Amino acid sequence: VASLLIPIISAILFLFVGGYIALYHVPTVLERFVHNRVKPEYKGKIELSIMFGMVIVMMPATYYAKASYLMGCFVSGLAFCT
């Protein structure tokens, strides 16, 4: 039973908690600490680097939490869609 419930609960928590953080907190942090301090011509490269770093962190986090590693990629990309 635990081998069935843990991945489902883990995926749901990553989706809702990670999605909430990605939609409401990450954009304000990026605006405050990155967009105001980076020249406009470097903004795209910096955002891509930050997103790549988030993917590298979130993929193993979701994998070791027994959710799909693709969930980590999705939540990381969700932070940059707003």
Coordinates of all heavy atoms in Angstrom, one line a residue:
V1 N 0.8 -1.2 0.0 CA 0.0 0.0 0.0 C 0.9 1.3 0.0 O 0.6 2.2 -0.7 CB -1.0 0.0 1.2 CG1 -1.8 1.3 1.3 CG2 -1.9 -1.2 1.1
A2 N 1.9 1.3 0.8 CA 2.8 2.4 0.9 C 3.5 2.7 -0.4 O 3.7 3.8 -0.8 CB 3.8 2.3 2.0
S3 N 3.9 1.6 -1.1 CA 4.6 1.8 -2.4 C 3.6 2.4 -3.5 O 4.1 2.9 -4.5 CB 5.1 0.5 -2.9 OG 4.1 -0.5 -3.1
L4 N 2.4 2.3 -3.2 CA 1.4 2.9 -4.2 C 1.0 4.3 -3.8 O 0.9 5.2 -4.6 CB 0.2 2.0 -4.2 CG -0.9 2.5 -5.2 CD1 -0.4 2.4 -6.6 CD2 -2.2 1.6 -5.0
L5 N 0.8 4.6 -2.5 CA 0.4 5.9 -2.0 C 1.5 6.9 -2.0 O 1.2 8.1 -2.2 CB -0.2 5.7 -0.6 CG -1.6 5.0 -0.5 CD1 -2.1 4.9 0.9 CD2 -2.6 5.7 -1.4
I6 N 2.7 6.6 -1.6 CA 3.8 7.5 -1.5 C 4.0 8.3 -2.8 O 4.1 9.5 -2.8 CB 5.0 6.9 -0.9 CG1 4.8 6.6 0.5 CG2 6.3 7.8 -1.1 CD1 6.0 5.8 1.2
P7 N 4.1 7.6 -4.0 CA 4.3 8.4 -5.2 C 3.2 9.3 -5.6 O 3.4 10.4 -6.1 CB 4.5 7.3 -6.3 CG 4.9 6.1 -5.5 CD 4.3 6.2 -4.2
I8 N 1.9 8.8 -5.3 CA 0.8 9.7 -5.6 C 0.7 10.9 -4.7 O 0.6 12.0 -5.2 CB -0.5 8.8 -5.4 CG1 -0.5 7.7 -6.5 CG2 -1.7 9.7 -5.6 CD1 -1.7 6.7 -6.3
I9 N 0.9 10.7 -3.4 CA 0.9 11.9 -2.5 C 2.1 12.8 -2.8 O 1.9 14.0 -2.8 CB 0.9 11.4 -1.0 CG1 -0.4 10.6 -0.7 CG2 1.1 12.5 -0.1 CD1 -0.5 9.9 0.6
S10 N 3.2 12.2 -3.0 CA 4.4 13.0 -3.3 C 4.2 13.9 -4.6 O 4.5 15.1 -4.6 CB 5.6 12.1 -3.5 OG 6.7 12.9 -3.9
A11 N 3.7 13.3 -5.6 CA 3.4 14.0 -6.9 C 2.4 15.1 -6.7 O 2.6 16.2 -7.2 CB 3.0 13.1 -8.0
I12 N 1.3 14.8 -5.9 CA 0.3 15.9 -5.7 C 0.9 17.0 -4.9 O 0.6 18.2 -5.2 CB -0.9 15.2 -5.0 CG1 -1.7 14.3 -6.0 CG2 -1.9 16.3 -4.4 CD1 -2.7 13.5 -5.4
L13 N 1.7 16.7 -3.8 CA 2.3 17.8 -3.0 C 3.2 18.6 -3.9 O 3.3 19.8 -3.7 CB 3.0 17.2 -1.8 CG 2.1 16.7 -0.7 CD1 2.9 16.1 0.4 CD2 1.3 17.9 -0.1
F14 N 4.1 18.0 -4.7 CA 5.0 18.7 -5.5 C 4.2 19.6 -6.5 O 4.6 20.7 -6.8 CB 5.9 17.8 -6.3 CG 7.2 17.6 -5.6 CD1 7.5 16.4 -5.0 CD2 8.2 18.6 -5.6 CE1 8.7 16.2 -4.4 CE2 9.4 18.4 -4.9 CZ 9.7 17.2 -4.3
L15 N 3.1 19.1 -7.0 CA 2.3 19.8 -8.0 C 1.7 21.1 -7.3 O 1.8 22.2 -7.8 CB 1.3 19.0 -8.6 CG 0.5 19.6 -9.7 CD1 1.4 20.0 -10.9 CD2 -0.6 18.6 -10.2
F16 N 1.0 20.9 -6.2 CA 0.3 22.0 -5.6 C 1.2 22.9 -4.8 O 1.1 24.1 -5.0 CB -0.8 21.5 -4.7 CG -2.0 20.9 -5.4 CD1 -2.3 19.6 -5.5 CD2 -2.8 21.8 -6.2 CE1 -3.3 19.1 -6.2 CE2 -3.9 21.3 -6.9 CZ -4.1 19.9 -6.9
V17 N 2.1 22.4 -4.0 CA 3.0 23.3 -3.2 C 4.0 23.9 -4.1 O 4.3 25.1 -4.1 CB 3.6 22.5 -2.1 CG1 4.7 23.4 -1.3 CG2 2.6 22.0 -1.1
G18 N 4.7 23.1 -5.0 CA 5.6 23.6 -5.9 C 5.0 24.6 -6.9 O 5.6 25.6 -7.3
G19 N 3.8 24.2 -7.4 CA 3.1 25.1 -8.3 C 2.8 26.4 -7.7 O 2.9 27.5 -8.3
Y20 N 2.3 26.4 -6.4 CA 2.0 27.7 -5.8 C 3.3 28.6 -5.6 O 3.2 29.7 -5.9 CB 1.4 27.4 -4.4 CG 1.2 28.6 -3.6 CD1 0.1 29.4 -3.8 CD2 2.1 29.0 -2.5 CE1 -0.1 30.6 -3.1 CE2 1.9 30.1 -1.8 CZ 0.8 30.9 -2.1 OH 0.6 32.1 -1.3
I21 N 4.3 28.0 -5.2 CA 5.6 28.7 -5.0 C 6.1 29.2 -6.4 O 6.5 30.4 -6.5 CB 6.7 27.8 -4.3 CG1 6.3 27.6 -2.9 CG2 8.0 28.5 -4.4 CD1 7.1 26.5 -2.2
A22 N 6.0 28.4 -7.4 CA 6.4 28.7 -8.7 C 5.6 29.9 -9.3 O 6.1 30.8 -10.0 CB 6.4 27.5 -9.7
L23 N 4.3 29.9 -9.1 CA 3.5 30.9 -9.7 C 3.4 32.2 -8.9 O 3.3 33.3 -9.5 CB 2.0 30.4 -9.8 CG 1.8 29.4 -10.9 CD1 0.4 28.9 -10.9 CD2 2.2 30.0 -12.3
Y24 N 3.6 32.2 -7.6 CA 3.3 33.4 -6.8 C 4.6 33.9 -6.1 O 4.6 35.1 -5.7 CB 2.3 33.1 -5.7 CG 0.9 32.8 -6.3 CD1 0.4 31.6 -6.3 CD2 0.2 33.9 -6.9 CE1 -0.9 31.3 -6.9 CE2 -1.0 33.6 -7.5 CZ -1.5 32.4 -7.5 OH -2.8 32.1 -8.1
H25 N 5.6 33.1 -5.9 CA 6.8 33.6 -5.2 C 8.0 33.7 -6.0 O 8.8 34.7 -5.9 CB 7.1 32.7 -4.0 CG 6.0 32.7 -2.9 ND1 5.8 33.9 -2.2 CD2 5.1 31.8 -2.5 CE1 4.8 33.6 -1.3 NE2 4.3 32.4 -1.5
V26 N 8.3 32.8 -6.9 CA 9.5 32.8 -7.8 C 9.5 34.1 -8.7 O 10.5 34.7 -8.8 CB 9.6 31.5 -8.6 CG1 10.8 31.6 -9.6 CG2 9.9 30.4 -7.6
P27 N 8.4 34.4 -9.3 CA 8.4 35.6 -10.2 C 8.8 36.9 -9.4 O 9.5 37.8 -9.9 CB 7.0 35.7 -10.8 CG 6.5 34.3 -10.7 CD 7.1 33.7 -9.5
T28 N 8.3 37.1 -8.2 CA 8.6 38.3 -7.4 C 10.1 38.2 -6.9 O 10.7 39.3 -6.9 CB 7.7 38.4 -6.1 OG1 7.8 37.2 -5.3 CG2 6.2 38.6 -6.6
V29 N 10.6 37.1 -6.6 CA 12.0 37.0 -6.2 C 12.9 37.3 -7.5 O 13.9 38.0 -7.3 CB 12.3 35.6 -5.7 CG1 13.8 35.4 -5.5 CG2 11.6 35.4 -4.3
L30 N 12.5 36.8 -8.6 CA 13.3 37.1 -9.8 C 13.2 38.5 -10.2 O 14.2 39.1 -10.5 CB 12.7 36.2 -11.0 CG 13.1 34.8 -11.0 CD1 12.3 34.1 -12.2 CD2 14.5 34.5 -11.1
E31 N 12.0 39.1 -10.0 CA 11.9 40.6 -10.3 C 12.8 41.4 -9.4 O 13.4 42.3 -9.8 CB 10.4 41.0 -10.2 CG 10.2 42.4 -10.7 CD 10.4 42.6 -12.1 OE1 10.1 41.7 -12.9 OE2 10.9 43.7 -12.5
R32 N 12.7 41.1 -8.1 CA 13.4 41.8 -7.1 C 15.0 41.7 -7.2 O 15.7 42.7 -7.1 CB 12.9 41.5 -5.7 CG 13.6 42.3 -4.6 CD 13.2 41.9 -3.3 NE 11.7 42.1 -3.1 CZ 11.0 41.6 -2.2 NH1 11.5 40.8 -1.3 NH2 9.7 41.9 -2.1
F33 N 15.4 40.5 -7.4 CA 16.9 40.2 -7.2 C 17.6 40.0 -8.6 O 18.8 40.1 -8.6 CB 17.1 39.0 -6.4 CG 16.7 39.2 -4.9 CD1 15.6 38.5 -4.4 CD2 17.3 40.1 -4.1 CE1 15.2 38.7 -3.1 CE2 16.9 40.3 -2.8 CZ 15.9 39.6 -2.3
V34 N 16.9 39.7 -9.6 CA 17.6 39.4 -10.9 C 17.3 40.5 -11.9 O 18.2 41.1 -12.5 CB 17.2 38.0 -11.4 CG1 17.8 37.8 -12.8 CG2 17.6 37.0 -10.5
H35 N 16.0 40.8 -12.2 CA 15.7 41.7 -13.3 C 16.1 43.1 -13.1 O 16.5 43.8 -14.0 CB 14.2 41.7 -13.6 CG 13.7 40.4 -14.1 ND1 12.4 40.0 -14.0 CD2 14.3 39.3 -14.7 CE1 12.2 38.8 -14.6 NE2 13.4 38.4 -15.0
N36 N 16.2 43.5 -11.9 CA 16.6 44.9 -11.6 C 18.1 45.1 -11.6 O 18.6 46.2 -11.6 CB 16.0 45.3 -10.2 CG 14.5 45.5 -10.2 OD1 13.9 45.7 -11.3 ND2 13.9 45.3 -9.1
R37 N 18.8 44.0 -11.5 CA 20.3 44.0 -11.4 C 21.0 43.6 -12.7 O 22.3 43.6 -12.7 CB 20.8 43.2 -10.2 CG 20.2 43.8 -8.9 CD 20.6 43.0 -7.8 NE 20.0 43.6 -6.6 CZ 20.1 43.1 -5.4 NH1 20.7 41.9 -5.2 NH2 19.5 43.7 -4.4
V38 N 20.3 43.1 -13.7 CA 20.9 42.6 -14.9 C 20.6 43.5 -16.0 O 19.5 44.0 -16.2 CB 20.4 41.2 -15.1 CG1 20.9 40.6 -16.4 CG2 20.8 40.2 -14.0
K39 N 21.6 43.7 -16.9 CA 21.4 44.5 -18.1 C 20.3 43.8 -19.0 O 20.3 42.5 -19.0 CB 22.7 44.7 -18.9 CG 23.7 45.5 -18.2 CD 24.9 45.6 -19.0 CE 25.9 46.5 -18.3 NZ 27.2 46.6 -19.0
P40 N 19.5 44.5 -19.7 CA 18.4 43.9 -20.5 C 19.0 42.9 -21.5 O 18.3 41.9 -21.8 CB 17.8 45.1 -21.2 CG 18.1 46.2 -20.3 CD 19.4 46.0 -19.7
E41 N 20.1 43.1 -22.1 CA 20.6 42.2 -23.1 C 21.1 40.8 -22.5 O 21.2 39.8 -23.2 CB 21.8 42.8 -23.9 CG 23.0 43.2 -23.1 CD 23.0 44.6 -22.7 OE1 22.0 45.3 -22.7 OE2 24.1 45.1 -22.3
Y42 N 21.3 40.8 -21.2 CA 21.7 39.5 -20.6 C 20.5 38.8 -19.8 O 20.7 37.7 -19.3 CB 22.8 39.7 -19.5 CG 24.1 40.2 -20.2 CD1 24.6 41.4 -19.7 CD2 24.7 39.5 -21.2 CE1 25.8 41.9 -20.3 CE2 25.9 40.0 -21.7 CZ 26.4 41.2 -21.3 OH 27.5 41.7 -21.9
K43 N 19.3 39.4 -19.8 CA 18.2 38.9 -19.0 C 17.8 37.5 -19.5 O 17.5 36.7 -18.7 CB 17.0 39.9 -19.2 CG 16.1 39.9 -18.0 CD 15.1 40.9 -18.1 CE 15.6 42.2 -17.6 NZ 14.6 43.3 -17.4
G44 N 17.7 37.3 -20.8 CA 17.3 36.0 -21.3 C 18.3 34.9 -20.9 O 17.9 33.8 -20.6
K45 N 19.6 35.2 -21.0 CA 20.6 34.2 -20.7 C 20.6 33.9 -19.2 O 20.7 32.7 -18.8 CB 21.9 34.7 -21.1 CG 22.1 34.8 -22.6 CD 23.5 35.3 -23.0 CE 23.6 35.5 -24.5 NZ 24.8 36.1 -24.9
I46 N 20.4 34.9 -18.4 CA 20.3 34.7 -16.9 C 19.1 33.8 -16.6 O 19.2 32.9 -15.8 CB 20.3 36.0 -16.2 CG1 21.7 36.8 -16.4 CG2 20.1 35.8 -14.7 CD1 22.9 36.1 -15.9
E47 N 17.9 34.2 -17.1 CA 16.7 33.4 -16.8 C 16.8 32.0 -17.3 O 16.4 31.1 -16.6 CB 15.5 34.1 -17.5 CG 15.1 35.3 -16.8 CD 13.9 35.9 -17.5 OE1 13.5 35.5 -18.6 OE2 13.3 36.8 -16.9
L48 N 17.5 31.7 -18.4 CA 17.7 30.4 -18.9 C 18.6 29.6 -18.0 O 18.4 28.4 -17.7 CB 18.2 30.4 -20.3 CG 18.3 29.0 -21.0 CD1 16.9 28.4 -21.2 CD2 19.0 29.2 -22.4
S49 N 19.6 30.3 -17.5 CA 20.6 29.6 -16.6 C 19.9 29.3 -15.3 O 20.1 28.2 -14.7 CB 21.8 30.5 -16.3 OG 22.5 30.8 -17.5
I50 N 19.1 30.2 -14.7 CA 18.3 29.9 -13.5 C 17.4 28.8 -13.7 O 17.2 27.9 -12.8 CB 17.6 31.2 -13.0 CG1 18.7 32.2 -12.6 CG2 16.7 30.9 -11.9 CD1 18.1 33.6 -12.3
M51 N 16.7 28.8 -14.8 CA 15.7 27.7 -15.1 C 16.4 26.3 -15.2 O 16.0 25.3 -14.6 CB 14.9 27.9 -16.3 CG 13.8 26.9 -16.5 SD 12.6 27.3 -17.7 CE 13.3 26.6 -19.1
F52 N 17.6 26.3 -15.8 CA 18.4 25.1 -15.9 C 18.8 24.6 -14.6 O 18.7 23.4 -14.2 CB 19.6 25.3 -16.8 CG 20.4 24.1 -17.1 CD1 19.9 23.1 -17.8 CD2 21.7 24.0 -16.5 CE1 20.7 21.9 -18.0 CE2 22.4 22.9 -16.7 CZ 21.9 21.8 -17.5
G53 N 19.2 25.6 -13.7 CA 19.6 25.2 -12.3 C 18.4 24.7 -11.6 O 18.6 23.7 -10.8
M54 N 17.3 25.3 -11.7 CA 16.1 24.7 -11.0 C 15.7 23.3 -11.5 O 15.3 22.5 -10.7 CB 14.9 25.7 -11.3 CG 15.0 27.0 -10.5 SD 13.6 28.1 -10.8 CE 12.2 27.2 -10.1
V55 N 15.9 23.1 -12.8 CA 15.6 21.8 -13.3 C 16.6 20.7 -12.8 O 16.2 19.7 -12.3 CB 15.6 21.7 -14.9 CG1 15.7 20.3 -15.4 CG2 14.5 22.5 -15.5
I56 N 17.8 21.1 -12.7 CA 18.9 20.2 -12.1 C 18.6 19.9 -10.7 O 18.9 18.8 -10.2 CB 20.3 20.9 -12.3 CG1 20.6 21.0 -13.8 CG2 21.3 20.1 -11.6 CD1 20.7 19.6 -14.5
V57 N 18.0 20.8 -9.9 CA 17.7 20.6 -8.5 C 16.4 19.8 -8.4 O 16.3 18.9 -7.5 CB 17.6 22.0 -7.7 CG1 17.0 21.8 -6.4 CG2 19.0 22.6 -7.7
M58 N 15.4 20.2 -9.1 CA 14.0 19.6 -9.0 C 13.9 18.2 -9.5 O 13.1 17.4 -9.0 CB 13.0 20.5 -9.6 CG 12.8 21.8 -8.9 SD 12.1 21.6 -7.3 CE 10.5 21.0 -7.6
M59 N 14.7 17.9 -10.5 CA 14.6 16.5 -11.1 C 15.0 15.4 -10.0 O 14.2 14.5 -9.8 CB 15.5 16.3 -12.3 CG 14.8 16.9 -13.6 SD 15.8 16.7 -15.0 CE 15.9 15.0 -15.2
P60 N 16.2 15.6 -9.3 CA 16.5 14.6 -8.3 C 15.5 14.7 -7.1 O 15.2 13.7 -6.5 CB 17.9 14.9 -7.9 CG 18.4 15.8 -8.9 CD 17.3 16.4 -9.6
A61 N 15.1 15.9 -6.8 CA 14.2 16.1 -5.6 C 12.9 15.3 -5.8 O 12.5 14.6 -4.9 CB 13.9 17.5 -5.4
T62 N 12.3 15.4 -7.0 CA 11.1 14.6 -7.2 C 11.4 13.1 -7.4 O 10.5 12.3 -7.0 CB 10.4 15.2 -8.5 OG1 11.3 15.2 -9.6 CG2 9.8 16.5 -8.2
Y63 N 12.5 12.8 -8.0 CA 12.8 11.4 -8.1 C 13.0 10.7 -6.8 O 12.5 9.6 -6.5 CB 14.1 11.2 -9.0 CG 14.6 9.8 -9.1 CD1 13.9 8.9 -9.9 CD2 15.6 9.3 -8.3 CE1 14.4 7.6 -10.0 CE2 16.1 8.0 -8.4 CZ 15.4 7.2 -9.3 OH 15.8 5.9 -9.4
Y64 N 13.7 11.3 -5.9 CA 14.0 10.7 -4.5 C 12.7 10.8 -3.7 O 12.6 10.0 -2.7 CB 15.1 11.4 -3.8 CG 16.5 11.0 -4.5 CD1 17.3 12.0 -4.9 CD2 16.8 9.7 -4.7 CE1 18.5 11.7 -5.5 CE2 18.0 9.4 -5.3 CZ 18.9 10.4 -5.7 OH 20.0 10.0 -6.3
A65 N 11.8 11.7 -4.0 CA 10.5 11.7 -3.3 C 9.5 10.7 -3.9 O 8.4 10.7 -3.5 CB 9.9 13.1 -3.3
K66 N 10.0 9.9 -4.8 CA 9.2 8.8 -5.5 C 8.1 9.4 -6.4 O 7.2 8.6 -6.7 CB 8.7 7.8 -4.5 CG 9.7 7.2 -3.7 CD 9.2 5.9 -3.1 CE 10.2 5.2 -2.1 NZ 11.6 5.1 -2.5
A67 N 8.2 10.6 -6.8 CA 7.4 11.2 -7.8 C 8.1 11.1 -9.2 O 9.3 10.7 -9.2 CB 7.0 12.6 -7.5
S68 N 7.5 11.4 -10.2 CA 8.2 11.4 -11.5 C 9.2 12.6 -11.6 O 8.9 13.7 -11.2 CB 7.2 11.5 -12.6 OG 7.8 11.7 -13.9
Y69 N 10.4 12.3 -12.2 CA 11.3 13.3 -12.3 C 10.8 14.4 -13.3 O 11.3 15.5 -13.3 CB 12.7 12.8 -12.8 CG 12.6 12.1 -14.2 CD1 12.9 12.8 -15.3 CD2 12.3 10.8 -14.3 CE1 12.9 12.2 -16.5 CE2 12.3 10.1 -15.5 CZ 12.6 10.9 -16.6 OH 12.5 10.3 -17.9
L70 N 9.9 14.0 -14.2 CA 9.3 15.0 -15.1 C 8.5 16.0 -14.4 O 8.3 17.1 -14.9 CB 8.5 14.3 -16.2 CG 9.3 13.4 -17.1 CD1 8.4 12.6 -18.1 CD2 10.3 14.2 -17.9
M71 N 8.0 15.7 -13.2 CA 7.2 16.6 -12.4 C 8.1 17.8 -12.0 O 7.7 18.9 -12.0 CB 6.6 15.9 -11.2 CG 5.9 16.9 -10.3 SD 4.3 17.4 -10.9 CE 3.4 15.9 -10.8
G72 N 9.4 17.5 -11.7 CA 10.3 18.5 -11.3 C 10.6 19.5 -12.5 O 10.7 20.7 -12.3
C73 N 10.7 18.9 -13.7 CA 10.9 19.7 -14.9 C 9.7 20.6 -15.1 O 9.8 21.8 -15.4 CB 11.1 18.9 -16.1 SG 12.6 17.9 -16.0
F74 N 8.5 20.1 -14.9 CA 7.3 20.8 -15.1 C 7.2 22.0 -14.2 O 6.9 23.1 -14.5 CB 6.1 19.9 -15.0 CG 4.8 20.6 -15.0 CD1 4.3 21.1 -16.2 CD2 4.0 20.8 -13.9 CE1 3.1 21.8 -16.3 CE2 2.8 21.5 -13.9 CZ 2.3 22.0 -15.1
V75 N 7.4 21.7 -12.9 CA 7.3 22.8 -11.9 C 8.4 23.9 -12.1 O 8.1 25.0 -11.9 CB 7.4 22.2 -10.4 CG1 7.5 23.3 -9.4 CG2 6.2 21.3 -10.2
S76 N 9.6 23.5 -12.5 CA 10.6 24.4 -12.8 C 10.2 25.3 -14.0 O 10.4 26.5 -13.9 CB 11.9 23.7 -13.2 OG 12.4 23.0 -12.1
G77 N 9.6 24.8 -15.0 CA 9.2 25.5 -16.2 C 8.0 26.4 -15.8 O 7.8 27.5 -16.4
L78 N 7.2 26.0 -14.9 CA 6.0 26.7 -14.5 C 6.4 28.0 -13.9 O 5.7 29.0 -14.0 CB 5.2 25.9 -13.5 CG 3.8 26.4 -13.1 CD1 2.9 26.4 -14.3 CD2 3.2 25.4 -12.1
A79 N 7.5 28.1 -13.2 CA 8.0 29.3 -12.6 C 8.3 30.4 -13.6 O 8.2 31.6 -13.2 CB 9.2 29.0 -11.7
F80 N 8.5 30.1 -14.8 CA 8.9 31.1 -15.8 C 7.8 31.3 -16.8 O 8.0 32.0 -17.8 CB 10.2 30.6 -16.5 CG 11.4 30.6 -15.6 CD1 11.7 29.6 -14.9 CD2 12.1 31.8 -15.6 CE1 12.8 29.6 -14.0 CE2 13.2 31.8 -14.7 CZ 13.6 30.8 -14.0
C81 N 6.6 30.8 -16.6 CA 5.6 31.0 -17.6 C 4.7 32.3 -17.2 O 3.8 32.6 -18.0 CB 4.7 29.8 -17.6 SG 3.6 29.5 -16.2
T82 N 5.0 32.9 -16.1 CA 4.2 34.1 -15.8 C 4.9 35.4 -16.1 O 6.1 35.4 -16.3 CB 3.9 34.1 -14.3 OG1 5.1 34.1 -13.5 CG2 3.0 33.0 -13.9

